[in-house]
Each structure stands twice: as C-alpha cells, then as structure tokens.
Amino acid sequence: MVLSVATNTPEIPSRPSLELSGEKLRLAVDALVHACEEIGGIERFAAAVQLKSDVFRERLAAGAAERLELTVFDELTPLMATVRTRIGKQIEQQGWAKIRSAIAELLADAHVPDTGDARIARFCKHFPVGKETRFVRDFASELLHNVYPELYPLMSRWVWDAKVNTGVLREIWHAENVDHVVIDIPDNQSTFLCLREELSQFLSGYGIFRDMLWYVDLLCAQIYGDYINAQGGSYLRSDFSSAPNPLEQTRRILGLDRVGRSPDRGNVIDAVTHPLAIKHIH
C-alpha cells in the first residue's frame, strides 16, 4: 500500500520578491531563438520538451507508478540528466521495489496544492544522506514536473540552490556584482512558481502565449547552459561539460541529448519528427 503525503491544507509560504534583470532575460531569449533557427525554430524545440513530459505522464500518472516495471523506468532515466548516472547505484543497493514505492508515494495525490516541498523532503528521506545522494532532490523534482507540469514547475538545483547560491535565478538576478551577492530567497515551491510566473510574463512580451510551460523550461535551460559554457560547471561539471554547439547544453540539461538522433542530421531534435524514438531509449 502506498502512503500519500498528508492532504490537510499546508501553510502557504509567502510570495518571494524576485529582482530579475530584464536585460539578462532579453539576451537569453534572443540567444535561444537564434540558436533554434538551425533546427527549424524554437517551436520545434518546445514540442520536444512537451513530448518528454507526455512520456512521463503515460508511464507514471494516475497511479501507474505503483506498477512501474524497472525496464520501463530504464526508458525514463536517460531523460533526467542529473539523475541518470547516479540512480543505478541506489537501485542496486536498495532494490527496485523500494525505489518504486518511493516514486509512487511522491506522486500519490499530487494534485493537492502546495505540497511540493513536503513531497520532496519525504522522498529524500528514502535515501541515505551524503554527497552521492544530493541528486535525489533533482530526481523528485524531475518526476513531479514531468508528470504534472502544470502543478509543479522546474525545481531542480540548477534552477536555484539556496545552499550554494547558484542556479538560473542567480544568473538573471538584477545586481551589479551578482557573484558577490547572497540571494536570500528560499528554494521552495513558492519561489519556483513565482519564477515561472515572471518568466511567463516576460515571454509573453515576445508574442509567446501558447505552450508556455515548455518555453519557460527552454529559457531556464538556455540560461544555465550559457553559464556552464562561460564559466564551467560546479557540482554539475560531470553532467554538463563544455560544448561548442549553442544548444547542446540546453539539450543536456533538459535530458534531450540522448533522444534518438540521426547521425546525418547533427543536432536536430529527432524526437519531434520521430516520436517513437523517445520511447525506446536504452
């Protein structure tokens, strides 16, 4: 039996005040749009991100996680960049049944509002504490966002990690010398929802009104990808080493770099033209 997170109404965190730089956001959007021209436009990239979410929902939503087979889970792990090289060891140590139970518990009654922080915290308790399991927060965030994207925005460490003061939020923070500024904003669900809302409002100024969830994901990945390319990674260095193609980091961060790619088509996102490819990654 899967135990769900308590459904009593939680205390709603106060809305944070985000001081975002319009100029930094404009540069990021322009770079993303320009880079996507080579693959047929930003709309095509957004469709690939949506397709990835569709795959997760098909396999994990509406109680399906309770019956998830390891072979099916293996199809999903390549789509989670900060998880795929680490989760195998945990499955080996704890056994697939325990990991599946933790996943099912995380996703149970996920429609209950404002429970994201409690869900992630409880999910992390199923794993030992240590350097090798810092990825577990990203694991929980990826599952929640990909299965229920409307309810849960991207909440991974690369979006914002208050403990080490790094992530997308810092890269677009309005400050003269942001590298020497401690951003006193918690990395909780309220912050990530607020960030998504503000980025959505910014993108609407570019005439983007449909499929906003996926465009926000693209923008976040582009911002952090630019940071990695410019300065190198920190704790994400092993996942996202430097890459010459302007979209390669964005693809890696979103877990799309291992989606079936035709050798003669370079960096085109083949999952859009060949949807079944994304379902048969090994």
Side-chain angles (χ1 to χ4, degrees), residues 104-123:
E105 179 182 273
L106 174 75
L107 299 176
D109 298 321
H111 62 280
V112 178
D114 302 306
T115 58
D117 297 330
R119 290 177 184 280
I120 293 174
R122 185 162 182 169
F123 183 79

Side-chain angles (χ1 to χ4, degrees), residues 109-150:
D109 298 321
H111 62 280
V112 178
D114 302 306
T115 58
D117 297 330
R119 290 177 184 280
I120 293 174
R122 185 162 182 169
F123 183 79
C124 290
K125 290 181 179 179
H126 289 284
F127 298 81
V129 177
K131 182 178 180 179
E132 292 185 349
T133 54
R134 286 186 297 180
F135 78 94
V136 173
R137 171 184 152 184
D138 292 343
F139 186 19
S141 300
E142 288 270 11
L143 292 172
L144 288 170
H145 176 62
N146 285 311
V147 179
Y148 299 104
E150 296 85 0

Side-chain angles (χ1 to χ4, degrees), residues 10-64:
E11 181 180 351
I12 301 176
S14 58
R15 179 184 175 87
S17 177
L18 305 183
E19 302 292 334
L20 305 184
S21 168
E23 179 61 22
K24 292 178 180 178
L25 284 172
R26 279 190 290 274
L27 290 173
V29 174
D30 289 344
L32 177 61
V33 172
H34 177 72
C36 286
E37 291 176 356
E38 295 185 4
I39 63 167
I42 191 172
E43 298 85 359
R44 192 162 184 237
F45 204 170
V49 181
Q50 181 176 7
L51 178 59
K52 181 185 74 169
S53 181
D54 290 343
V55 172
F56 273 83
R57 286 200 296 271
E58 178 184 329
R59 288 154 172 75
L60 296 174

Side-chain angles (χ1 to χ4, degrees), residues 46-97:
V49 181
Q50 181 176 7
L51 178 59
K52 181 185 74 169
S53 181
D54 290 343
V55 172
F56 273 83
R57 286 200 296 271
E58 178 184 329
R59 288 154 172 75
L60 296 174
E66 297 181 32
R67 305 177 299 277
L68 183 66
E69 297 295 336
L70 179 57
T71 53
V72 176
F73 179 74
D74 286 341
E75 297 176 354
L76 301 177
T77 52
L79 305 176
M80 299 181 284
T82 60
V83 176
R84 59 193 178 197
T85 61
R86 298 176 172 90
I87 188 60
K89 183 175 181 180
Q90 292 302 313
I91 294 175
E92 180 180 350
Q93 292 178 346
Q94 298 197 49
W96 171 238

